[in-house]
Structure formats: structure tokens, C-alpha cells
């Protein structure tokens, strides 16, 4: 009898996804059906709707709409062009120079905007045609763009790390932000190595070496954009303001910057606000639905049962972490990142803490793991954005994607089994 709620939850969720029900509604309906197994209809409906509402009642979540808005302002404000120009002077003369520019610019853009889809859209529309002009295959350019766009979800400020902080019961957002730097940069570095090897093998064109004057000029042009990172992260780490307050400052700063660059005007502000509101609504609905499912699973003791099952399989931390990583990789293929973090953090976090892992490290492992899922069908949102911008097909992109996937998995392996890669910076600043 105790396994019936679990079966109802899993089977109903999978069936709803299979028939094309939106993820948020699949989560909500399967949670409701699970509650109906154990309690009457009226309390079940009331409980699920109440948990959706209370799940959104968090001060930390206010940061998400602000960061979404600042990301939208950056996308429209000409920041991507300046970051690409700066990256071009740094690595344009290396093998696969344009691919390396894509990775570095995506890391900078993603870190500033905190959105993988915004980064994939901006880099794809600006760099995609240029790469084709220089003789790069369209599919290779798309593969590099898709995978590099996800690095901005690990390098702070990141909305997903804020969601993980909520799901984990209050892990420090500042510590998570600091912990994301080295894994994010490491992932980007591995992607660059693979891209350079692929480009050399295919004998793609190499750009001209930039002069010191050109590097300095593009750097000065990009400084106002890069300064946002210093203001936001520096302010959070030093303790001048919280992550939520930092997100509001980011909006104000990017708005002023957009007007200074003359890329944003009062005329296109309504469109920016509407796009931000639409994205925020989708994210918040997913969060509310996922919080209701998390509560239902807790009520039915599902996390405790899975924890006991995993710890019963082996007492070797290496084996358990490998199993969790494989499960998360599988989950990432079928589920969007936000609900996956909210649903599976309460399940796996107790397991890894019993093994002695720091919750901050596990947060980075989980996000890095699910970033790979964003690049894979059938639910890979970044994959669809990248393919859509380039006007190509998923089937054609798969081949050049595989070595880049392996680079991301190798980065995940290092982050999983070498804790100092994530914990060194937080410990340096006393977190």
C-alpha cells in the first residue's frame, strides 16, 4: 500500500508528459492525483492549491523577476555586441577563433544576464552568420552556441542557484554564487579545447592577431557591462545588499546602460517589460507547481524511501554519487531545470549530506548536471532556441554536439569528486 502513491505520482506524471501536457500542469495534476489516493477530494484540492501559493511566498524569489528583466534589458541594450568584440580581440587568432569567441562571449553574457536562452539567442543571431561566412559549418556553430550558453547558469548571478537555495532550505545564495565561478569557467575552458581541436581538424579559417591597442579599446568599451558583475556579486559577498536587492540594482544599472549606449529607448521598453513578465510568469508557475509536488512527496515519505534505497545499494560515496549523477542526467533529458531542482533537491540532498558532501557543492553539481539536459531533446529549451535561431534541424546538430557533451560531463566528473573546485572560493570569503 505504501508504494501506491509513488506509483500514481510517477506513472501519472510520465503519462501526462507523453500526451503533451505542459510541464507545470503535469506536475500539478500528478501531485493532486497522488493526494487523492490518501485523502478526500476537497482537502486534496485545497492542499495542492495552498502549497502552490505558499511555495511562491519567499523574499528570495523576488530576485528572479528582476534578474529576468535585467537579462532582457541586456539582450536589447547592445551588451552582447561589446562582449563579442572584446572576446574577438582575445582569442580571434587561435584555431577555431570564432568558436572560442562564442564560448567566452556566452560565458560573459550568461554571467551578466543569468539566462542561457538569452545568451543562445544573442550569440546565435550575431555570431552564427559570421561563422558561416568564415567557412564554419552551421551545425558546429550551433553546437558550440548551445553548450556554451549554459555556462551562464553556473557562473553567477544565476536564477537557478536562487531556486536551489529555496529548495535546499536556505543554503547561502552568496556561497552558491561564489562556488559557481570555478566550475563555470572550467566547463567553458573544456568546451573551448574541444572546439579548437574540432576546428583544427576541419581546417577552419583563423583570424588575424589583434594588437594590444585593439584589446585595450574593446576592453574599455566592455567595462561598463562587466562592471555589473563586480557591483552585483561584490555587493552580495561583502554584505552591502542581499541577492534580491542586488537584482533590483542590476535592473537599474542595465536600464541606464541601455540608454547610454542608445540601444534602448522609451519606445521599446513596453516590449522588454512584456517579454520579462511572460518569462517570469512561466518560471513562477513552474516553481509553484514544483513546490506542491515537493510537499506531496514529503507527505508521502518519498524522499526518505529513496534515500534509504540509495544508501542500501552501497556505502561507497563514489558509487552513490555516480548513481545520482546518472539519474539527474536522465531527469534533465525529460524535465526543465527549475522543476527538476525543486523536486529532486529534497530527494537527493539528504543522501549526499549523509555521505558528508557540502550542500553548496551539491547545488553546483545539480545545476551543472541539468545544464546538459538543456542541450538535449525532447525538453532541451536551449537546444530549441539555438536550432531555431540558426534555422537548422536537431538531427544535423547532434554529431558536433557529442564531443561538447563529453567535455561538459568531464567537468561534471571533476566537480563531483574534487570538492575544492566549488568550495575554495566560498571558504576564502568565509562562507
Amino acid at each position: 500500500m505504501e508504494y501506491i502513491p509513488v506509483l500514481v505520482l510517477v506513472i501519472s506524471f510520465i503519462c501526462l508528459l507523453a500526451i503533451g501536457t505542459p510541464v507545470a500542469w503535469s506536475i500539478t495534476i500528478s501531485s493532486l492525483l497522488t493526494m487523492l489516493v490518501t485523502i478526500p477530494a476537497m482537502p486534496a484540492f485545497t492542499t495542492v492549491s495552498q502549497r502552490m501559493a505558499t511555495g511562491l511566498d519567499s523574499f528570495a524569489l523576488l530576485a528572479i523577476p528582476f534578474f529576468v528583466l535585467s537579462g532582457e534589458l541586456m539582450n536589447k541594450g547592445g551588451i552582447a555586441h561589446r562582449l563579442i568584440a572584446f572576446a574577438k580581440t582575445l582569442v580571434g587568432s587561435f584555431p577555431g577563433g570564432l568558436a572560442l569567441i562564442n564560448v567566452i562571449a556566452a560565458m560573459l553574457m550568461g554571467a551578466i544576464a543569468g539566462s542561457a536562452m538569452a545568451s543562445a539567442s544573442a550569440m546565435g543571431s550575431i555570431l552564427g552568420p559570421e561563422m558561416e561566412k568564415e567557412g564554419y559549418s552551421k551545425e558546429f556553430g550551433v553546437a558550440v552556441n548551445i553548450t556554451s550558453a549554459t555556462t551562464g547558469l553556473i557562473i553567477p548571478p544565476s536564477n537557478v542557484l536562487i531556486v536551489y537555495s529555496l529548495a535546499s532550505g536556505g543554503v547561502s545564495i552568496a556561497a552558491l554564487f561564489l562556488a559557481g565561478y570555478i566550475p563555470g569557467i572550467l566547463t567553458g575552458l573544456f568546451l573551448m579545447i574541444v572546439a579548437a581541436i574540432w576546428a583544427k581538424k576541419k581546417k577552419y579559417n583563423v583570424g588575424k592577431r589583434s594588437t594590444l591597442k585593439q584589446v585595450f579599446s574593446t576592453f574599455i568599451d566592455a567595462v561598463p557591462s562587466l562592471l555589473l558583475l563586480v557591483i552585483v556579486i561584490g555587493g552580495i559577498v561583502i554584505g552591502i545588499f542581499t541577492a534580491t536587492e542586488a537584482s533590483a540594482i542590476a535592473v537599474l544599472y542595465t536600464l541606464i546602460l541601455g540608454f547610454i549606449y542608445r540601444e534602448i529607448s522609451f519606445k521599446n521598453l513596453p516590449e522588454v517589460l512584456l517579454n520579462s513578465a511572460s518569462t517570469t510568469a512561466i518560471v513562477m508557475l513552474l516553481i509553484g507547481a514544483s513546490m506542491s509536488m515537493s510537499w506531496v512527496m514529503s507527505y508521502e515519505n518519498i524522499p526518505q524511501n529513496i534515500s534509504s534505497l540509495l544508501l542500501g545499494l552501497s556505502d561507497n560515496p563514489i558509487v552513490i554519487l555516480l548513481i545520482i549523477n546518472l539519474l539527474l542526467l536522465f531527469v534533465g533529458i525529460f524535465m526543465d531545470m527549475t522543476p527538476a531542482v525543486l523536486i529532486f533537491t529534497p530527494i537527493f540532498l539528504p543522501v549526499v549530506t549523509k555521505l558528508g558532501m557540502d550542500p553548496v557543492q551539491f547545488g553546483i553539481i545539480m545545476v551543472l548536471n541539468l545544464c546538459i539536459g538543456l542541450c538535449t531533446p525532447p525538453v532541451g529549451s536551449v537546444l530549441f532556441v539555438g536550432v531555431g535561431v540558426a534555422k537548422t534541424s536537431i538531427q544535423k546538430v547532434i554529431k558536433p554536439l557529442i564531443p561538447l557533451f563529453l567535455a561538459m560531463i568531464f567537468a561534471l566528473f571533476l566537480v563531483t569528486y574534487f570538492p575544492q573546485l566549488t568550495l575554495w572560493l566560498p571558504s576564502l570569503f568565509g562562507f
Side-chain angles (χ1 to χ4, degrees):
M1 187 72 180
E2 63 181 289
Y3 295 108
I4 291 176
V6 181
L7 291 172
V8 170
L9 183 72
V10 173
I11 293 169
S12 61
F13 181 63
I14 291 170
C15 289
L16 286 163
L17 282 179
I19 62 173
T21 310
V23 175
W25 299 119
S26 298
I27 292 169
T28 307
I29 294 167
S30 56
S31 301
L32 178 61
L33 292 173
T34 307
M35 290 298 291
L36 288 170
V37 172
T38 50
I39 63 174
M42 188 54 69
F45 276 95
T46 306
T47 302
V48 171
S49 56
Q50 182 190 49
R51 289 296 156 183
M52 286 182 73
T54 54
L56 296 172
D57 185 16
S58 168
F59 180 70
L61 286 180
L62 279 173
I64 291 177
F66 283 120
F67 277 131
V68 168
L69 178 54
S70 68
E72 192 68 32
L73 287 167
M74 289 169 202
N75 210 12
K76 300 284 185 186
I79 287 173
H81 289 278
R82 287 161 177 81
L83 295 176
I84 288 170
F86 174 51
K88 198 169 188 175
T89 59
L90 291 178
V91 294
S93 61
F94 289 96
L98 284 175
L100 305 187
I101 290 164
N102 195 324
V103 177
I104 291 177
M107 287 166 70
L108 293 171
M109 179 72 181
I112 295 170
S115 167
M117 286 193 285
S119 177
S121 176
M123 297 305 139
S125 55
I126 298 166
L127 272 174
E130 195 172 335
M131 289 179 80
E132 279 188 76
K133 211 181 288 179
E134 290 294 321
Y136 289 75
S137 78
K138 182 188 279 190
E139 289 69 33
F140 172 68
V142 174
V144 171
N145 182 34
I146 289 165
T147 49
S148 61
T150 62
T151 56
L153 298 175
I154 312 160
I155 302 171
S158 167
N159 288 338
V160 183
L161 291 176
I162 295 169
V163 171
Y164 172 78
S165 172
L166 176 74
S168 62
V171 173
S172 167
I173 294 174
L176 287 166
F177 277 7
L178 285 169
Y181 275 112
I182 294 175
I185 293 168
L186 198 66
T187 305
L189 183 63
F190 290 150
L191 290 173
M192 288 170 70
I193 291 168
V194 170
I197 293 169
W198 184 282
K200 197 165 185 178
K201 185 182 173 185
K202 298 287 182 181
K203 296 179 181 176
Y204 292 137
N205 292 337
V206 177
K208 292 178 182 177
R209 188 180 293 274
S210 300
T211 64
L212 203 59
K213 185 181 177 182
Q214 287 172 320
V215 175
F216 183 71
S217 173
T218 55
F219 172 69
I220 293 298
D221 203 24
V223 159
S225 307
L226 297 172
L227 196 59
L228 179 62
L229 280 175
V230 179
I231 294 169
V232 171
I233 306 303
I236 294 170
V237 170
I238 295 168
I240 298 172
F241 37 69
T242 64
T244 306
E245 292 160 348
S247 64
I249 290 164
V251 170
L252 183 62
Y253 185 88
T254 48
L255 184 61
I256 293 168
L257 204 59
F259 281 120
I260 291 170
Y261 286 156
R262 296 183 180 179
E263 301 275 355
I264 292 175
S265 63
F266 287 107
K267 189 180 177 181
N268 55 24
L269 269 181
E271 183 193 349
V272 169
L273 292 169
L274 191 63
N275 288 343
S276 303
S278 175
T279 304
T280 301
I282 294 166
V283 172
M284 289 303 184
L285 180 60
L286 281 168
I287 290 173
S290 303
M291 291 301 282
S292 72
M293 182 179 270
S294 293
W295 188 88
V296 168
M297 288 195 301
S298 178
Y299 178 79
E300 300 292 351
N301 289 321
I302 294 171
Q304 292 89 331
N305 292 337
I306 293 175
S307 177
S308 300
L309 177 66
L310 282 173
L311 292 170
L313 289 173
S314 173
D315 57 358
N316 188 328
I318 294 172
V319 174
I320 297 294
L321 289 172
L322 181 62
I323 293 169
I324 290 173
N325 270 323
L326 290 172
L327 288 170
L328 285 172
L329 284 169
F330 180 74
V331 164
I333 293 171
F334 298 100
M335 192 180 286
D336 197 37
M337 185 176 266
T338 299
V341 168
L342 287 164
I343 292 165
F344 289 95
T345 297
I347 293 175
F348 293 134
L349 188 58
V351 179
V352 297
T353 48
K354 280 183 184 176
L355 297 173
M357 179 179 279
D358 192 296
V360 171
Q361 183 192 357
F362 182 67
I364 302 301
I365 290 170
M366 178 170 257
V367 171
L368 180 52
N369 212 313
L370 295 170
C371 279
I372 299 169
L374 292 177
C375 308
T376 55
V379 190
S381 51
V382 179
L383 173 67
F384 292 124
V385 169
V387 167
V389 168
K391 297 186 173 123
T392 185
S393 67
I394 292 169
Q395 290 84 351
K396 290 178 181 176
V397 175
I398 292 297
K399 188 179 176 182
L401 260 180
I402 291 170
L404 295 163
F405 276 150
L406 294 175
M408 294 179 80
I409 290 168
F410 184 60
L412 174 63
F413 171 82
L414 292 179
V415 171
T416 302
Y417 295 109
F418 295 91
Q420 282 309 306
L421 289 174
T422 47
L423 302 179
W424 178 70
L425 269 180
S427 63
L428 192 67
F429 285 90
F431 288 100

